[in-house]
Amino acid sequence: MSEVHDQRAALSNKTAELAVAGFTFALGAIVIFDSWRIGARWAADGPQTGYFPFYVGVIICIASLVNFVHALLISKKNGAFVEVGQLKLVLSVLVPSSVYVVLVGFLGIYVPSIIYIAFFMRWLGKYAWWKAAFVSVGTNVFFYCVFEIWFLVPLPKGVVESLLGLD
């Protein structure tokens, strides 16, 4: 996986610029909407809560529109933002990481962390199963001791920890 073989364009610079400009415009619009909802005017005693965030949202939206127009003017020979091979490498880390984050919400932090570390050691590192299992379990036992026992900082726990009486 260290070499990138597929050099076809997966996404052009123009498409990436338009997508980011649209995304930041949407964020700015959310800030404007919510700031207006909580009060974005100047009151008798000074600015309301949403006054300054409202104008930050306006600036974000204006900058996004400028970027959007600039992206529309990019010539057709603008090159690739990312190639297919590069995108596959990024997604090979992004997808499992996203699944990990979702699992933490359901299973707590320890079980998904064991799976996550073991998966990456085995899949990307090509380590033996017993090494991946030893390191992933050992790492989580270490963090359990450090956070839960020594620092008394509770981390999110799930069903497995409840069954073991660790919650």
Side-chain angles (χ1 to χ4, degrees):
M1 286 201 139
S2 63
E3 293 183 35
V4 178
H5 295 290
D6 198 345
Q7 295 183 343
R8 293 176 295 135
L11 187 67
S12 71
N13 281 330
K14 184 174 189 171
T15 305
E17 291 281 345
L18 290 170
V20 170
F23 178 72
T24 56
F25 183 86
L27 290 178
I30 290 169
V31 170
I32 289 171
F33 175 78
D34 205 43
S35 296
W36 191 261
R37 183 185 62 80
I38 63 174
R41 295 182 184 87
W42 194 272
D45 59 343
Q48 294 177 325
T49 307
Y51 184 80
F52 293 110
F54 175 82
Y55 287 105
V56 170
V58 169
I59 292 169
I60 290 171
C61 285
I62 290 170
S64 297
L65 287 174
V66 169
N67 286 337
F68 193 84
V69 170
H70 182 264
L72 286 175
L73 300 176
I74 290 177
S75 69
K76 294 188 187 237
K77 297 180 182 179
N78 62 21
F81 177 73
V82 66
E83 296 169 354
V84 173
Q86 295 169 330
L87 185 61
K88 286 180 182 177
L89 289 173
V90 169
L91 291 177
S92 70
V93 175
L94 179 65
V95 171
S97 298
S98 300
V99 170
Y100 168 73
V101 169
V102 170
L103 287 177
V104 167
F106 293 107
L107 299 176
I109 198 161
Y110 297 110
V111 173
S113 294
I114 290 170
I115 295 167
Y116 182 73
I117 293 169
F119 174 77
F120 271 103
M121 285 186 69
R122 182 71 182 141
W123 186 46
L124 294 179
K126 308 293 186 210
Y127 288 95
W129 280 109
W130 69 270
K131 289 180 182 178
F134 180 77
V135 169
S136 62
V137 171
T139 300
N140 281 281
V141 167
F142 172 77
F143 282 123
Y144 178 82
C145 291
V146 168
F147 287 105
E148 304 279 343
I149 296 172
W150 297 329
F151 292 152
L152 301 174
V153 176
L155 296 177
K157 293 179 197 62
V159 178
V160 175
E161 290 87 354
S162 294
L163 292 174
L164 295 174
L166 298 174
D167 56 351

